[in-house]
Amino acid sequence: ELVAILKAKEAEFADASREEQEAEEKLQAEQSQLSALQAEILEAETQSEQNRTDLDQANDLISVLRQELHSEQAALREEETSAGRRRELFRKQVEEKRRELARMQEMNDKLIDDLQNRGGCLPKAKAPSGGGGGASPAQRSPVSKGRGKGSTKGAVAAQFRGQQPQVLRREGSGHQDPNF
């Protein structure tokens, strides 16, 4: 009977040893899995930190680019405003020059009409400074009462200024400049 108890106790001990061995193997497997998971977590945290750093840098760059964009847009708006003001100034200057030209043309027409009404005599043109003499009679445009292709208005005005006469073309005479 003692032998039977001893055999039973040995069987229990063997079973307990086997169970302990299985439990240790299971524990080692679980610890191995736990170590692998901890390594994965550490790697994921490292990658997450790198991603966070990259994201922060990207956000900083986006912020800088956004500021530059706003600055460039403000500069563009200012340049467009400035260009608009310059265009308006140039338009006004062109209109003023057109009015001045029309006034001078009208004054020139009146001078020619007055001259023609007095008999058509023109004073002799003074010689331009620097020698060379004045225009020969053949070079000067004669004053006539008619209004042919070449008007004498330019010649009269030029002679009054002491310059070489030039023939201006009147409207409808083929001159291409729309300002005349």
Side-chain angles (χ1 to χ4, degrees):
E1 173 178 329
L2 226 46
V3 174
I5 293 177
L6 186 61
K7 283 191 180 194
K9 291 280 180 197
E10 285 178 358
E12 279 180 34
F13 179 73
D15 285 342
S17 288
R18 205 174 335 110
E19 286 176 10
E20 186 180 343
Q21 181 80 22
E22 288 174 1
E24 281 183 24
E25 288 174 2
K26 187 176 180 183
L27 180 63
Q28 276 185 337
E30 287 176 355
Q31 283 181 340
S32 182
Q33 282 182 332
L34 181 62
S35 294
L37 287 174
Q38 286 175 337
E40 287 179 22
I41 288 173
L42 184 60
E43 185 179 328
E45 286 175 347
T46 304
Q47 185 63 41
S48 175
E49 189 62 35
Q50 181 62 41
N51 289 345
R52 189 173 304 124
T53 302
D54 291 346
L55 182 61
D56 288 345
Q57 289 175 348
N59 284 335
D60 290 344
L61 180 60
I62 287 172
S63 177
V64 167
L65 291 174
R66 202 173 271 143
Q67 289 173 349
E68 287 179 9
L69 177 65
H70 290 306
S71 175
E72 290 295 324
Q73 287 174 336
L76 176 63
R77 283 190 299 272
E78 181 61 33
E79 187 59 34
E80 286 173 342
T81 302
S82 177
R85 285 193 299 258
R86 285 192 308 269
R87 273 193 307 273
E88 187 59 32
L89 174 68
F90 294 149
R91 276 191 205 112
K92 287 178 181 178
Q93 289 175 344
V94 166
E95 284 302 315
E96 179 62 31
K97 293 297 181 184
R98 284 181 178 163
R99 283 192 297 272
E100 185 178 339
L101 177 62
R103 185 179 53 79
M104 293 175 109
Q105 286 174 334
E106 186 177 315
M107 188 182 344
N108 198 22
D109 285 344
K110 286 180 183 177
L111 287 171
I112 289 172
D113 288 342
D114 288 347
L115 185 63
Q116 288 175 348
N117 288 337
R118 285 192 310 204
C121 294
L122 289 175
K124 292 198 175 202
K126 294 181 181 176
S129 61
S136 69
Q139 291 173 324
R140 285 195 292 267
S141 298
V143 175
S144 67
K145 300 229 179 210
R147 306 235 186 228
K149 270 190 170 183
S151 171
T152 58
K153 291 180 183 182
V156 171
Q159 286 184 348
F160 280 125
R161 290 188 305 261
Q163 297 176 354
Q164 193 75 351
Q166 295 177 344
V167 176
L168 295 178
R169 298 197 184 277
R170 304 197 90 182
E171 289 182 31
S173 66
H175 192 278
Q176 299 299 319
D177 189 353
N179 295 326
F180 272 65

